[in-house]
Amino acid sequence: MIAIGVKVGGSRTDAVALHEGAVIAKAVAPSLPGDPVRSLADAVRKLPAAHRAEAVQLSVGLNTAARAVMERQGLARVGVLRIGGAAVDAVPPGFGWPQALRRAVLADWENVDGGAGLTPALRTPLDRAAVTRFAERTRGRVQAYAVTGVFAPADGSQERESADLLGAEVPVVLSGEVAGLGLVERENATVLHAALSSLVARLADELTVAASTLTPRATVLVTRHDGTLAGLDYLRRQPGLTLGSGPASTIRGAALLAGLDDALVVDVGERRCRIGASTQGYPQEARAGERIGGVQVSLRFPELTVLTDPLHRLDELAEAVDSMQPGAEPLPVVLVGPRAAAVPDHALPGLRLLRPEHGEAAGAYGAAASLVGAGHERIFRPGDRSDPDGPHLDAVRDEVRELARAGAVRAGADPRSVDVRVDPELPVPYLPGAVLIRARAMGPPLPL
Amino acid sequence: MHLDTDALASLARGCAVLGSGGGGPAAPMIPLVEAALGECGPVALVHPADLPADALVMPVGMVGSSAVGAERIGGRAEPARLRDRVEQQRGGPVAAVMASEIGGQNGCLALAFAARCGLPLLDADSMGRAYPLMHQNVLELAGIRPGPTLVADERGRTVVVDHVDGPHLEHLVRAAVDALGGRAVCSDYPLTAGQAADSAVLGTVSLALRLGAGELPEPLLTGKVTAVQRHGAAAVSVLVDGLGPDSGRLLRVEARSEFVAAVAEGRALALVPDVIALLDARTGEAVDVEDVRYGLRVRVLALPAPPIWYTPAGLALGGPEAFGLSGLVREEVRA
């Protein structure tokens, strides 16, 4: 079974072909500014035709979305619907955004009454009439909607209800499917997703066309920020899912190439270097505070330290690597990227260093070797006083597990072989008895 | 003096330092306060003595989970509604807002409430730092009664807690917050400007602003976090290994919900009620207890708490024993 992975970077596009996880061919082409699909096609076309004909999977790492937000190019005009009313009007949508981005994206917004709580008893009824009025007011003036309801990651029913009222003429992105708790940051992330919908839809179309001749038998997938993959249909519904995916596929690819689950990864380029960590084969997530184009978002990007001009500042590199170590027992360090060889061994003393073959194409390798995945999380308070007959922890854990599984299947995974991992439950600070339940599901793509 | 959005970043940084690693993260409050100041204009910062002695002061603080607070961010009408309820209870107009806890998120929240109520903010608070329990405050030490305390959610659902002592207040308010879904705003220990002038910790908003602008004490140690040991849910030990001029020195920082002791060679260089802050050496921001991790480069700072916390009654309420620390003696000689 042959899988092809591609990473379209700022200056170069790498492509690798894998057979049962081993690299059988690789190619590189210069990246063409503003034309990621042609860059991809140029690199893939250099792979042997026989491999392309046989490939069942084409996994693509794109930086188009991040670029579009940064440069404010090709963004859709978004109607922003918040559900929470007077309980959440202390900070309006788009607050604190850079002016130019706000002007480019925010067509109109409304905050309607409604919203969920930690338990069903705390739910406020949705003001359906207000949603309908907003739909009428914005019809024809917006190219996408972003809907953010209070506690939607725990209970997304009112977001789905609103989506029905907003209609099917333009894409509707629901916050509960985009990010976790933290209303403002989740809303920001949801609006950016919606803003990317037109561009990403075009990109998906172009990819489909390009793949039909380059790799006619292959399922086309894109990389996402947690080191997993998603199909193009899913990408259209979650247009921002590629944000943060570049470092993620590199970290995953580097760890796989080195044959390690837990390692630090140093991706060395000409002008800058990115240091991340692989935990059980997947990128370690940053805690919080990610920004895209000057906007605070609550997406779980890989934790990264970025250094400019690393080859002339090796002291800083050593210190940055050391401060990324998760404990006193240092993890081995995998050096990848086009300039990995330029970092001398003595720059990182006392550490096990690996420079795996094909490391310059670690991002493309990571894309080719990854699985389709999704995650789900929920805050739950067992035995809640206001809801004594409510569900028990085991039932909720099972539900979260199933929602993660369903998410992976929606993202394009083969339902027959999805593997679900439930993280150990974490206590929620200052909320006695409450736990955060998280599950991640992944599996190979459905061969269709 | 007036506080506007320019002061906000400094205030948040300073409140985080005074949080001693607890009190809830201050930085996420910035948009909330910025929106309030933007809509309602700058807020006058006043000394309690500038107000008539019988003028009513409304203390304010958020209670519950900061995770829930990040979801239910609050409403524009919430501050004025709380003020109306306080006025109903007290039978007169509120003249100023005061933070019930300067450390962490509540030091910032009070500024948003003052702005939306159109009231001045007192340059004072009830703790001078952050503490985990509501009655761990200097008004309790001064014999001011906790009630009537108002607990309200952002939709105006309100619970009045009265005729209780400090420890009992905590139980009742926690139960109310639980029933309100994990987040509420609370106005406790109602007082007058005269009582604030006599009993509150004075000058703490100015102090936070100065700390946030970089007027910080010399660090006890600058180094790298080389171990973070969590003993159950509540207790954390952090080892900081000196770097640069501090190379070869080792500091152990004990934490509960806040950092409570900094120990070197068996002697406490700082001990609660001292404020102990770990500043990220790269960003200069104070690090919360739950965010301390291996490898972080930090400057460990200590600041004295208000003098009343070092009296026998103060130590009993907010000293080492209150955190289950025994056998530690604070180093008396400290610059």
Side-chain angles (χ1 to χ4, degrees):
Chain A
M1 199 189 90
I2 291 178
I4 292 175
V6 186
K7 175 160 180 194
V8 184
S11 56
R12 58 183 268 161
T13 297
D14 290 289
V16 300
L18 305 191
H19 179 64
E20 309 297 343
V23 176
I24 50 171
K26 60 180 173 178
V28 63
S31 292
L32 305 166
D35 200 344
V37 176
R38 241 183 84 202
S39 311
L40 167 140
D42 288 352
V44 172
R45 208 172 288 119
K46 291 186 182 176
L47 295 173
H51 296 341
R52 289 196 279 115
E54 246 186 87
V56 294
Q57 178 180 339
L58 176 66
S59 314
V60 185
L62 298 164
N63 61 357
T64 322
R67 257 216 144 91
V69 175
M70 235 77 89
E71 296 167 2
R72 301 183 292 279
Q73 293 292 319
L75 299 176
R77 305 269 299 152
V78 178
V80 181
L81 181 70
R82 185 185 285 184
I83 308 169
V88 290
D89 66 359
V91 180
F95 186 81
W97 285 35
Q99 276 294 337
L101 185 62
R102 200 188 130 89
R103 266 201 301 271
V105 169
L106 235 79
D108 197 355
W109 63 268
E110 189 60 72
N111 173 18
V112 303
D113 209 11
L118 281 176
T119 62
L122 294 160
R123 194 185 290 156
T124 305
L126 176 68
D127 185 347
R128 294 172 54 93
V131 179
T132 303
R133 281 197 300 276
F134 180 63
E136 284 161 3
R137 185 172 91 206
T138 49
R139 186 152 298 136
R141 293 199 296 121
V142 302
Q143 294 160 284
Y145 287 108
V147 181
T148 308
V150 171
F151 272 111
D155 175 0
S157 56
Q158 294 188 348
E159 287 193 346
R160 291 190 291 274
E161 200 178 336
S162 300
D164 289 342
L165 295 169
L166 291 171
E169 286 157 41
V170 298
V172 181
V173 182
L174 306 182
S175 83
E177 296 179 4
V178 165
L181 291 181
L183 182 89
V184 171
E185 294 83 3
R186 183 173 72 254
E187 180 179 73
N188 286 345
T190 308
V191 176
L192 289 184
H193 267 251
L196 289 164
S197 55
S198 326
L199 178 123
V200 158
R202 274 200 306 280
L203 194 66
D205 290 344
E206 289 178 31
L207 275 174
T208 307
V209 171
S212 68
T213 53
L214 289 167
T215 54
R217 288 180 54 201
T219 306
V220 184
L221 301 155
V222 293
T223 59
R224 54 203 284 181
H225 57 74
D226 61 0
T228 63
L229 306 172
L232 294 181
D233 285 340
Y234 196 64
L235 174 66
R236 288 173 204 270
R237 292 180 39 199
Q238 301 227 351
L241 66 76
T242 66
L243 292 169
S245 67
S249 66
T250 301
I251 291 167
R252 175 146 172 79
L256 286 169
L257 283 168
L260 296 168
D261 279 341
D262 298 321
L264 294 190
V265 174
V266 183
D267 178 14
V268 194
E270 199 58 60
R271 291 183 308 265
R272 64 174 183 181
C273 126
R274 295 198 268 213
I275 306 153
S278 164
T279 305
Q280 298 176 359
Y282 284 86
Q284 182 179 306
E285 293 167 350
R287 262 164 294 270
E290 285 296 334
R291 299 182 88 88
I292 308 173
V295 174
Q296 193 97 41
V297 293
S298 57
L299 298 171
R300 294 180 187 272
F301 288 165
E303 167 132 45
L304 285 182
T305 305
V306 181
L307 295 178
T308 51
D309 199 16
L311 299 174
H312 296 99
R313 294 152 87 179
L314 292 173
D315 297 352
E316 281 180 38
L317 177 63
E319 181 170 325
V321 167
D322 189 48
S323 53
M324 287 291 287
Q325 291 284 2
E329 195 64 47
L331 291 178
V333 176
V334 185
L335 290 153
V336 296
R339 296 286 281 154
V343 177
D345 283 0
H346 64 76
L348 298 167
L351 295 170
R352 187 176 153 219
L353 302 184
L354 296 99
R355 301 169 193 271
E357 198 187 355
H358 314 303
E360 81 289 349
Y365 183 88
S370 291
L371 297 169
V372 179
H376 196 84
E377 66 177 47
R378 184 176 303 176
I379 286 184
F380 174 65
R381 280 202 298 179
D384 190 276
R385 222 166 297 172
S386 60
D387 187 20
D389 302 321
H392 290 277
L393 179 62
D394 288 344
V396 176
R397 201 190 286 118
D398 286 346
E399 199 183 327
V400 170
R401 176 198 302 274
E402 284 317 305
L403 285 166
R405 179 192 302 280
V409 171
R410 274 205 314 277
D414 187 337
R416 294 167 299 181
S417 41
V418 170
D419 183 34
V420 190
R421 209 164 58 197
V422 182
D423 290 352
E425 278 120 37
L426 295 169
V428 180
Y430 296 102
L431 198 62
V435 289
L436 177 70
I437 307 166
R438 281 187 72 189
R440 277 176 288 185
M442 50 200 94
L446 188 64
L448 280 179
Chain B
M1 181 190 178
H2 280 76
L3 298 175
D4 57 20
T5 50
D6 293 343
L8 196 47
S10 291
L11 179 67
R13 262 200 306 276
C15 289
V17 170
L18 289 171
S20 198
M29 301 300 288
I30 290 176
L32 191 86
V33 189
E34 204 175 344
L37 291 171
E39 268 180 65
C40 308
V43 166
L45 183 67
V46 299
H47 192 276
D50 297 341
L51 300 171
D54 59 352
L56 295 181
V57 172
M58 176 171 92
V60 63
M62 196 178 287
V63 279
S65 157
S66 40
V68 176
E71 193 64 26
R72 289 159 53 190
I73 59 172
R76 296 161 69 230
E78 192 177 7
R81 199 164 44 219
L82 183 70
R83 179 202 58 203
D84 292 349
R85 289 303 183 99
V86 168
E87 290 181 346
Q88 247 176 34
Q89 286 289 326
R90 312 275 307 275
V94 169
V97 171
M98 181 178 86
S100 49
E101 176 181 41
I102 191 71
Q105 63 182 11
N106 283 330
C108 294
L109 179 83
L111 179 54
F113 268 60
R116 294 218 182 263
C117 290
L119 291 171
L121 179 70
L122 280 199
D123 191 1
D125 80 301
S126 320
M127 293 184 184
R129 44 165 294 145
Y131 272 118
L133 303 176
M134 298 178 73
H135 69 290
Q136 286 176 310
N137 72 66
V138 299
L139 306 178
E140 170 81 14
L141 289 173
I144 294 173
R145 297 198 51 81
T149 282
L150 286 161
V151 186
D153 77 359
E154 66 280 18
R155 291 184 178 275
R157 288 176 279 231
T158 307
V159 176
V160 181
V161 180
D162 205 356
H163 306 291
V164 290
D165 60 15
H168 201 183
L169 173 79
E170 177 75 23
H171 288 300
L172 288 172
V173 170
R174 294 287 163 198
V177 171
D178 198 40
L180 292 171
R183 174 253 185 229
V185 168
C186 184
S187 184
D188 58 3
Y189 292 84
L191 76 170
T192 62
Q195 286 175 307
D198 292 341
S199 308
V201 188
L202 302 178
T204 46
V205 175
S206 304
L207 173 62
L209 288 166
R210 288 197 304 277
L211 292 169
E215 284 181 45
L216 294 161
E218 281 300 305
L220 300 176
L221 182 105
T222 299
K224 165 187 161 181
V225 174
T226 51
V228 181
Q229 294 163 298
R230 298 192 187 269
H231 320 283
V236 185
S237 296
V238 179
L239 272 189
V240 186
D241 193 358
L243 290 172
D246 290 326
S247 186
R249 292 179 58 211
L250 199 62
L251 196 66
R252 178 165 56 89
V253 181
E254 292 294 333
R256 300 293 182 264
S257 48
E258 287 82 31
F259 299 114
V260 289
V263 184
E265 293 165 6
R267 293 175 309 174
L269 302 186
L271 185 61
V272 64
D274 294 348
V275 171
I276 301 167
L278 271 61
L279 303 194
D280 184 325
R282 200 168 46 86
T283 63
E285 302 284 339
V287 183
D288 287 349
V289 172
E290 53 197 78
D291 291 333
V292 176
R293 57 176 178 78
Y294 177 90
L296 206 64
R297 265 58 175 177
V298 292
R299 296 199 295 275
V300 184
L301 311 180
L303 288 95
I308 191 170
W309 283 121
Y310 301 94
T311 63
L315 289 169
L317 185 63
E321 306 284 328
F323 289 90
L325 295 173
S326 52
L328 280 178
V329 179
R330 180 159 156 271
E331 189 78 346
E332 285 307 322
V333 203
R334 207 182 73 221

